[in-house]
């Protein structure tokens, strides 16, 4: 079915083909008769041999042969010679069938089945494999079979490693060999087999080996993924780490009830508006973990009893693992004139239980503290969130002028390279390896202007920056990396969207990398510029962002403007638990399911998704990322039977699913194809607390 | 650029269904049920499912059912999971799934173990092979990721890593190959595309170039789509070509669901009528 040239059938060929077809049909029907009647005579079995040698895809014939073998074995019981000859015959038939089609699943599987009866030697099998791999070194059936033989016949992994080396030296454009090599090496390293105990000793040779492939022909992809794997082995920190939190360590928080303050003497970064009786405590890890609960995390304060705290993973698809976990702490009791300070101490790592998906434990005992006080001071009601309509126009925003009071709470946000001592072991060789690779790739690029050179260099520079703990590292390569991605967009236009996404990620890292840069994007929301009590808005609009990241640095954000970008998805935004106002207008969000992270933003009151592409696409690219009636996620809300599925919900199930739990007061959706009168009345049903829809006041 | 010769393809599929005399046709008799799925789904996407006799098809399918409940590739052959799937899919197209004894359902399957097995086939490059340790292959990836999607377990997929591996399947001609350093193939084309749909990375593939590649693989005279331009056509590639175009939002085609590889209205009909 592949690779046959297109040419019309000549009449004499058609006749010959029809004659062959008739013969084959007769054989097949005779065979089926034998099979259904359990006939295993010599002639019957030979008939199946003939069929399989012509058409190894006839799976029923392989089933038949297994039954025939079993039948013969029970007849001939314990005669070792006849056993051998029976199995030998099967091996011969398989080999013959493979010659007809060396990619036949049925044939390879039959051979494995025969081998499970305990026959043939490793030399014999390797000889067969050599034949096939010479014919096609990428035959993955042969490679799979090779792995099977090596495992079942106890061939050492080191010997197999040598084999991959030979294959690669013969022809480095052999992705299958590189793949096998990465598998073997990763097993040897994991088991700490002698000679493979430390990555530090093993990886340098591997880097040199793959350089030969990449540098000889940079356009051949075979070595790329192996190099990426080596890079990952070099920089990866297996054990989970805490990367950031909100509230931040050492911060002094002032929580405001639903009346705002005017002229209070604190910084807008430590002052938070909340309209519920609880506030979140957010923990952000470097990878998805399970097992975060009140036994593994202790929160010591007057506000809550630790064991009553319920920790939730912020993940889609009801997964038990997540990078970001949150629990709710009670607000201090609302005695309006008290400004008592409540200290809170959080500790983790004291008992085992937090574990990553790859099975590594969080083992770095860490403790941090912050202080909370509640204030209700009555002044004239100002722009409390949710009381008045939010306008996103430029006139409503004024640059934030930093005051000296800001510097201390601010810097705590950036001390958040929550010190992890463990990762400092091996630091030297990791850093040295990355530095050497950077040199190598700079050299490659000086000789050949190639895509893989630029892409790898960009990745290496980012890895280098990530390893150097901020804020000690003032030197960052982000400008150079952004340039590299711009180059790549020109050099390899087929993949321009991939590079754009990477560019966006680097840009956000750059913007959030230090306080000054972040501050320049912070604006007061207010109709009166002198009002220091108003919320702070982080503006990240008009940046051509196609992808979001750096959420660990943005956990404090309450008001966020991401309008006028190129976002298709907002994956990761669920980490920003304090968000109450979000502007996503003028992006390219294609469906409601792309807004899935919003379901976890319980504080969200004002949402603007106007001028996107919701309803404009027949294909929904994100619908399996969240639990829906179409996927069988355990515990999916759809199965609870409480929802009456009426016609509206059927037509708009995505919108229903995303919006139903939210407490929005303001919603803007104009400029999306899905919007019409029917949809708007559906919205009003689903969002009972809504006060403004597309700027109009509702009743 | 050229256009989709929808009518020609419909004619081609009907002719294949009728022509049973060639040698190739007999050699592939054992997978006729797959062929039925490919051909009929294509017709549905093109809005022409009524071109076949529903009664004929369904009665033939039921003849392929074994007492175990499974379906064979054709009458008299052994039952097999692959063909059982095709049978269910074809019945779904005709909204006749209730003909089956619906005792065999997802709740009877140990989904967790299934997910575990699939995850064990995950490779270091982010892709999936056909067995643990098997090299990543776009076709396998389609099956594994589709299964994970249906099981609500997509969080096991490293979307960025796999997304990059998959978008690098797109070669200069615009087509996609199944593995690094292999030739592009329309059949492969659809599979990474389907996977990328799941994880919102599909924009990493250049849609326009891909559409052009598929259209170039059409046989404009006799209908049908081949694996590569100027190669012989077959139903398998015709299906993947048309399904692929549907995913790329080519106008005039019914939208297809990326996990179930069936038209969206068919999938919705099944799930929403369950309640």
């Amino acid at each position: 079915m592949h690779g046959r040239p297109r040419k019309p059938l000549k009449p004499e060929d058609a006749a010959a083909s029809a004659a062959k077809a008739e013969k084959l049909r007769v054989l097949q029907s005779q065979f089926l008769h034998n099979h259904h009647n359990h006939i295993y005579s010599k002639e019957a079995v030979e008939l199946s041999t003939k069929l399989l040698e012509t058409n190894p895809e006839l799976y029923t014939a392989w089933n038949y042969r297994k039954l025939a073998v079993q039948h013969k074995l029970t007849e001939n019981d314990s005669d070792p010679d006849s056993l051998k000859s029976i199995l030998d015959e099967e091996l011969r038939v398989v080999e013959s069938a493979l010659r007809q089609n060396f990619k036949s699943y049925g044939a390879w599987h039959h051979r494995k089945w025969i081998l499970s009866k305990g026959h043939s030697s490793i030399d014999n099998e390797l000889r067969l494999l050599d034949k096939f791999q010479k014919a096609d070194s990428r035959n993955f059936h042969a490679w799979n079979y090779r792995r099977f033989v090596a495992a079942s016949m106890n061939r050492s992994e080191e010997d197999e490693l040598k084999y991959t080396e030979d294959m690669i030296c013969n022809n480095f454009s052999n992705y299958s060999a590189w793949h096998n090599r990465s598998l073997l090496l990763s097993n040897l390293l994991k088991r700490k087999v002698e000679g493979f105990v430390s990555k530090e000793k093993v990886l340098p040779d591997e880097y040199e080996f793959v350089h030969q492939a990449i540098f000889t022909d940079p356009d051949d992809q075979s070595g790329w993924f192996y190099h990426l794997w080596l890079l990952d082995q070099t920089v990866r920190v297996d054990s989970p780490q805490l990367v950031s939190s909100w509230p931040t360590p050492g911060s002094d928080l002032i929580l405001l009830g639903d009346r705002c303050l005017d002229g209070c003497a604190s910084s807008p970064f430590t002052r938070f508006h909340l309209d519920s009786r609880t506030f979140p405590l957010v923990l952000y890890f470097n990878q998805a973990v399970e097992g975060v609960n009140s036994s593994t995390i202790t929160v010591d304060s007057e506000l809550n009893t630790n064991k009553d705290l319920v920790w939730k993973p912020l993940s889609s698809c009801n997964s038990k693992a997540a990078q970001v976990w949150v629990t709710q702490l009670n607000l201090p009791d609302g005695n309006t004139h008290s400004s008592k300070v409540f200290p809170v101490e959080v500790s983790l790592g004291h008992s085992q239980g937090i574990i990553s998906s790859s099975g590594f434990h969080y083992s770095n005992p860490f403790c941090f503290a912050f202080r909370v006080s509640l204030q209700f001071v009555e002044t004239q009601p100002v722009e409390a969130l949710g009381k008045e309509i939010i306008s996103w126009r430029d006139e409503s925003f004024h640059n934030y002028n930093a005051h000296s009071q800001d510097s201390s709470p601010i810097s705590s946000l950036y001390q958040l390279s929550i010190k992890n001592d463990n990762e400092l072991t091996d630091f030297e060789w990791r850093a040295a390896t990355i530095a050497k690779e950077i040199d190598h790739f700079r050299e490659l690029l000086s000789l050949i202007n190639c895509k893989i050179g630029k892409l790898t260099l960009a990745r290496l520079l980012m890895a280098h920056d990530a390893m150097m703990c901020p804020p000690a590292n003032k030197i960052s390569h982000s400008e150079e990396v952004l340039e590299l991605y711009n180059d790549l967009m020109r050099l390899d236009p087929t993949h321009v969207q991939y590079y754009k996404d990477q560019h966006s990620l680097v840009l956000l890292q750059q913007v959030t990398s230090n306080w000054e840069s972040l501050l320049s994007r912070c604006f007061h929301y207010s109709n009166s510029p002198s009002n220091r009590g108003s919320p702070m808005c982080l503006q990240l609009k008009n940046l051509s962002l196609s992808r979001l990241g750096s959420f660990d640095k943005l956990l404090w954000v309450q008001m966020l403007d991401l309008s006028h970008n190129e976002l298709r998805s907002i994956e990761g935004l669920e980490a920003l638990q304090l968000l109450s106002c979000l502007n996503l207008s003028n992006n390219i969000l294609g469906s409601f399911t792309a807004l899935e992270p919003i379901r976890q933003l319980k504080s969200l009151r004002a949402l603007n998704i106007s001028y996107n592409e919701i309803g404009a696409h027949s294909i929904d690219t994100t619908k399996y990322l969240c639990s829906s009636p179409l996927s069988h996620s355990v515990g999916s809300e759809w199965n609870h039977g409480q929802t009456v599925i009426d016609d509206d919900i059927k037509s708009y199930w995505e919108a229903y699913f995303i919006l139903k739990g939210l407490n929005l007061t303001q919603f803007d959706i104009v400029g999306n194809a899905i919007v019409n009168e029917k949809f708007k009345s559906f919205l009003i049903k689903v969002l009972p607390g809504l006060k403004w829809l597309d700027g109009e006041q509702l009743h | 650029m050229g256009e989709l010769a929808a009518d020609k393809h419909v004619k081609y599929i009907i002719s294949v269904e009728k022509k049973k005399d060639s040698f190739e046709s007999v050699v592939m008799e054992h997978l006729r049920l797959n062929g039925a799925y490919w051909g009929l789904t294509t017709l549905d996407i093109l809005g022409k499912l009524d071109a076949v006799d529903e009664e004929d098809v369904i009665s033939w399918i039921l003849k392929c059912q074994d007492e175990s409940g499974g379906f064979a590739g054709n009458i008299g052959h052994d039952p097999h999971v692959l063909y059982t799937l095709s049978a269910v899919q074809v019945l779904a197209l005709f909204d006749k799934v209730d003909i089956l004894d619906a005792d065999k359902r997802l709740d009877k399957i140990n989904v967790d173990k299934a997910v575990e097995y699939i995850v064990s086939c995950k490779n270091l490059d982010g892709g999936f092979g056909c067995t643990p340790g098997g090299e990543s292959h776009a076709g396998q990836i389609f099956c594994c990721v589709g299964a994970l999607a249906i099981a609500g377990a997509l969080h096991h997929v490293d979307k960025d890593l796999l997304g990059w591996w998959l978008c690098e399947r797109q070669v200069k001609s615009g087509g996609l190959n199944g593995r690094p350093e292999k030739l592009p193939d329309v059949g492969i084309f659809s599979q990474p595309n389907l996977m990328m749909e799941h994880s919102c990375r599909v924009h990493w593939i250049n849609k326009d170039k891909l559409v052009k590649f598929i259209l170039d693989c059409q046989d404009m005279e006799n209908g049908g789509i081949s694996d590569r331009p100027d190669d012989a056509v077959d139903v398998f590639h015709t299906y993947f070509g048309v399904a692929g175009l549907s995913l790329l939002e080519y106008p005039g085609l019914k939208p297809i669901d990326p996990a179930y590889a069936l038209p969206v209205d068919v999938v919705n009909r099944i799930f929403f009528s369950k309640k």
Side-chain angles (χ1 to χ4, degrees), chain A residues 301-370:
Chain A
S301 81
E302 275 180 53
L303 303 168
N304 284 78
T305 320
N306 182 59
K307 65 173 170 58
D308 293 336
L309 288 178
V310 176
W311 286 89
K312 257 188 54 181
L314 293 180
S315 67
S316 53
C317 291
N318 297 313
S319 162
K320 293 193 298 244
Q323 248 184 302
V324 191
W325 287 77
V326 67
T327 190
Q328 299 291 333
L329 300 181
N330 294 331
L331 280 186
D333 266 326
N335 182 341
T336 51
H337 294 292
S338 140
S339 28
K340 180 175 169 199
V341 175
F342 294 83
V344 179
E345 202 175 275
V346 182
S347 46
L348 61 163
H350 46 84
S351 64
Q352 289 249 308
I354 300 175
I355 186 167
S356 74
S357 336
S358 20
F360 291 94
H361 285 268
Y362 179 89
S363 52
N364 186 32
F366 180 68
C367 189
F368 70 95
F370 55 90

Side-chain angles (χ1 to χ4, degrees), chain A residues 136-203:
Chain A
D136 176 9
S137 62
R138 298 294 304 280
N139 181 344
F140 66 82
H141 297 268
W143 280 100
N144 282 348
Y145 188 71
R146 193 186 178 89
R147 279 182 280 268
F148 166 77
V149 166
S152 59
M153 295 185 172
N154 290 317
R155 187 163 145 89
S156 80
E157 278 171 329
E158 289 95 315
D159 283 338
E160 282 300 287
L161 200 64
K162 182 75 181 49
Y163 178 77
T164 64
E165 195 180 320
D166 293 339
M167 294 294 278
I168 293 168
C169 289
N170 192 19
N171 174 10
F172 66 75
S173 177
N174 190 337
Y175 187 86
S176 313
W178 286 110
H179 163 76
N180 211 31
R181 194 175 180 81
S182 68
L183 207 56
L184 294 162
L185 213 47
S186 127
N187 284 341
L188 288 164
L189 286 170
K190 213 185 295 187
R191 286 175 19 225
K192 298 208 185 291
V193 168
E194 194 188 316
F196 295 93
V197 173
S198 95
K199 284 188 193 174
E200 187 180 345
K201 299 267 157 52
V202 173
L203 294 185

